[in-house]
Amino acid sequence: MKKIAVVGTGYVGLVSGTCFAEAGNNVCCIDIDVQKVDKLKSGQITIYEPGLEKLFKRNVSEGRLTFTTNLEEGIKGREIIFLALPTPPGEDGSADLKYILSVAAELGKLLNEDDFKVIVDKSTVPVGTADLVRKTIIENGASPDCFDIVSNPEFLREGVAVDDFMKPDRVVIGYSNEKSKTIMGELYAPFVRQGNPVYYMDERSAELTKYAANSFLATKITFINEIARLCEILGADVDMVRFGIGSDDRIGKRFLFPGIGYGGSCFPKDVKALVKSASDVDYNFEILKAVMNVNAEQKTILIPRILGYFDGNISGRTFAIWGLAFKPNTDDIREAPALEIIDDLLSKGANVVAYDPEAMENVKNLYGDKIKLSNNQYEALDGADALIIATEWNEFRTPDFDKMTSLLKNQAIFDGRNLYALDTMRKLNYYYSSIGREIIK
Ligand code: NAD
């Protein structure tokens, strides 16, 4: 059993803290958001993540998982301190390290020599951050002998975060001191019992690994999105093309689904930050610049199609949107393509009625009464001029088409996630526009 503190109790902090507790460790999660901590202390979970609530409740009730807003109290007697703090994009696109460095400064004042601690960067941070955190802690009064820094980037995916954390494809540990390497190895041993690798490396390589992983995945999505655009022009079907290439092991089937661009709290900011890190050392990361541009266009690709269908004027028309989260199985709407579509529709004078199984509260906080939210997917269609699909939640995959037909004013679907077979839509007499496939008219 290890005694752990996790500073920052958001998506990564809460999942990591809960899963470490589930493996038998004693974990205190710390956050400055008083409301969030009060809610967690009262036994209520603060994010939607499949499977998390059960583990959260069990570990809270067994006393292995506690919460506080007080850093000093939270780290007392704990050997490992994870930093799971935000690293949002700054104005120039670089990762803003103010949250990390302010906690590092506070830690510098709190650490003492009788109590060695491993401070672990779990946030996604640019190369050199481990050095910067070390320097900040020392400048604020701590002796270099009373702590060590480890870089342990997190690869969990929202929506399957618990599974990813409990059985990671790999664990990356950037270290510069054998003692910390051993402590981290012991901590992760229960999570890699099936034999998945733990890669030990220097801190800088660990930091870059996370950016390289996310940037590669963003590039793969963007590549198939461009192939999809070409399919539309050349009269090919992107589904056939993706089957044809994905069966090659070197390419792989995953992350080859065309759509309306990547969003979320990670890919957009991490691609941007890597481009900025590269340009800071006079390296022009051309591929990633193209990825950012193509993705920005992809996010609004449905709008001209919708305008085309309605002869260029959608003012006063009502659009139903299914799916608001940036991907299924999460309530996270950060940089979600649905939001750009909503903004575009509203700016053109249209009305929006939206439904999402989990993300409606977050959308309500953002839009207030500018858009209508429905209680279920069908209610959103009642009297709507067309349906737009922005997120591929499972419940949208095999809907009751008869019911849809009776509710929609026009039989028109703009599907940003390619949920339906073209033949089905043809038989149902729908106008159906998807990504990289023939338009059914
Ligand atoms: P988040 O915004 O959900 O959570 C961050 C938490 O830190 C918030 O609850 C905030 O209140 C808290 N916080 C801010 N300042 C604090 C302070 N001084 N003391 C204590 N708490 C403080 O962010 P997230 O999505 O969990 O991401 C955290 C990091 O992990 C980021 O660097 C992100 O890039 C990375 N990451 C995220 C994911 C993901 O899927 N969300 C996956 C892998 C890596």
Side-chain angles (χ1 to χ4, degrees):
M1 190 272 287
K2 300 223 177 275
K3 293 186 112 186
I4 300 170
V6 178
V7 191
T9 312
Y11 281 88
V12 169
L14 187 59
V15 171
S16 315
T18 305
C19 292
F20 281 134
E22 178 68 13
N25 298 293
N26 190 291
V27 182
C28 181
C29 288
I30 303 158
D31 206 285
I32 43 164
D33 184 333
V34 179
Q35 267 186 332
K36 191 178 272 190
V37 171
D38 281 349
K39 206 169 165 191
L40 291 163
K41 274 182 166 174
S42 73
Q44 291 174 71
I45 197 146
T46 43
I47 54 170
Y48 171 73
E49 188 57 52
L52 185 63
E53 191 163 11
K54 193 171 145 211
L55 303 192
F56 164 81
K57 291 206 157 135
R58 177 161 63 222
N59 285 285
V60 167
S61 78
E62 290 180 9
R64 285 192 298 265
L65 183 60
T66 52
F67 301 93
T68 181
T69 51
N70 185 317
L71 185 67
E72 184 172 8
E73 179 193 309
I75 65 165
K76 203 168 172 201
R78 297 186 184 267
E79 183 183 23
I80 309 174
I81 305 174
F82 280 92
L83 306 183
L85 294 156
T87 48
E91 269 176 27
D92 59 1
S94 61
D96 188 346
L97 294 178
K98 69 172 181 243
Y99 300 94
I100 303 264
L101 296 182
S102 80
V103 170
E106 283 182 69
L107 287 174
K109 293 173 197 140
L110 296 172
L111 300 187
N112 65 69
E113 285 186 36
D114 326 316
D115 191 14
F116 178 84
K117 295 197 192 295
V118 184
I119 315 245
V120 187
D121 258 339
K122 197 160 238 343
S123 299
T124 303
V125 290
V127 172
T129 302
D131 292 334
L132 210 52
V133 169
R134 187 179 285 114
K135 186 166 156 260
T136 307
I137 293 176
I138 294 168
E139 278 171 1
N140 280 274
S143 150
D145 301 330
C146 70
F147 75 96
D148 195 15
I149 303 288
V150 163
S151 177
N152 168 223
E154 181 49 55
F155 297 95
L156 63 79
R157 294 162 298 165
E158 286 177 22
V160 279
V162 171
D163 276 355
D164 280 351
F165 200 93
M166 297 304 286
K167 289 182 200 146
D169 288 343
R170 80 307 210 179
V171 174
V172 168
I173 293 173
Y175 75 104
S176 53
N177 174 325
E178 286 299 320
K179 184 172 172 182
S180 314
K181 178 187 178 191
T182 307
I183 292 171
M184 294 301 288
E186 288 167 359
L187 175 66
Y188 274 107
F191 299 90
V192 290
R193 289 180 65 242
Q194 286 179 339
N196 286 352
V198 179
Y199 293 114
Y200 295 99
M201 55 182 83
D202 63 279
E203 294 150 359
R204 296 175 88 82
S205 302
E207 289 165 340
L208 189 54
T209 298
K210 173 66 192 178
Y211 280 106
N214 275 0
S215 298
F216 182 83
L217 293 170
T219 305
K220 193 170 177 189
I221 294 176
T222 306
F223 177 82
I224 198 68
N225 282 339
E226 285 223 271
I227 292 290
R229 288 194 205 173
L230 201 53
C231 283
E232 289 170 10
I233 301 165
L234 299 176
D237 183 324
V238 72
D239 275 344
M240 297 304 113
V241 178
R242 91 181 150 79
F243 291 146
I245 62 173
S247 47
D248 182 329
D249 277 357
R250 293 168 301 173
I251 296 173
K253 298 183 180 71
R254 296 165 78 186
F255 267 73
L256 270 189
F257 292 91
I260 42 174
Y262 60 78
S265 66
C266 292
F267 287 4
K269 87 173 167 64
D270 292 348
V271 172
K272 221 183 271 172
L274 187 53
V275 168
K276 177 68 173 72
S277 287
S279 89
D280 286 348
V281 290
D282 293 330
Y283 185 78
N284 180 20
F285 211 138
E286 287 189 64
I287 291 186
L288 291 185
K289 286 184 178 170
V291 165
M292 289 196 293
N293 291 336
V294 172
N295 194 61
E297 283 170 22
Q298 197 73 19
K299 280 174 129 182
T300 56
I301 202 165
L302 292 180
I303 296 296
R305 301 174 187 202
I306 295 167
L307 283 170
Y309 180 84
F310 290 103
D311 296 327
N313 184 7
I314 54 170
S315 178
R317 293 202 182 267
T318 298
F319 292 91
I321 300 188
W322 280 3
L324 299 165
F326 84 93
K327 66 174 180 179
N329 298 320
T330 180
D331 59 355
D332 197 342
I333 56 165
R334 291 177 282 187
E335 303 236 12
L339 306 187
E340 295 216 13
I341 295 173
I342 292 174
D343 291 341
D344 254 346
L345 294 173
L346 293 179
S347 75
K348 292 179 170 48
N351 308 306
V352 172
V353 188
Y355 172 74
D356 186 283
E358 293 296 337
M360 299 224 280
E361 205 179 313
N362 288 335
V363 168
K364 195 169 184 195
N365 292 336
L366 200 62
Y367 286 94
D369 54 12
K370 283 195 209 144
I371 67 169
K372 258 197 191 159
L373 296 169
S374 335
N375 295 316
N376 63 64
Q377 69 197 76
Y378 296 105
E379 190 185 297
L381 304 179
D382 196 1
D385 286 284
L387 166 64
I388 299 166
I389 300 175
T391 317
E392 65 277 32
W393 284 91
N394 272 341
E395 62 201 83
F396 304 152
R397 287 179 194 273
T398 35
D400 181 341
F401 283 114
D402 291 341
K403 198 167 176 181
M404 289 169 72
T405 304
S406 71
L407 290 166
L408 277 166
K409 228 190 247 175
N410 304 293
Q411 266 61 78
I413 299 179
F414 297 88
D415 181 357
R417 302 295 177 184
N418 289 5
L419 294 192
Y420 308 130
L422 298 182
D423 274 351
T424 309
M425 302 321 287
R426 202 175 278 121
K427 276 187 207 137
L428 289 166
N429 269 328
Y430 264 76
Y431 178 91
Y432 180 66
S433 170
S434 54
I435 309 290
R437 305 188 297 176
E438 179 194 349
I439 295 178
I440 307 299
K441 294 179 182 167

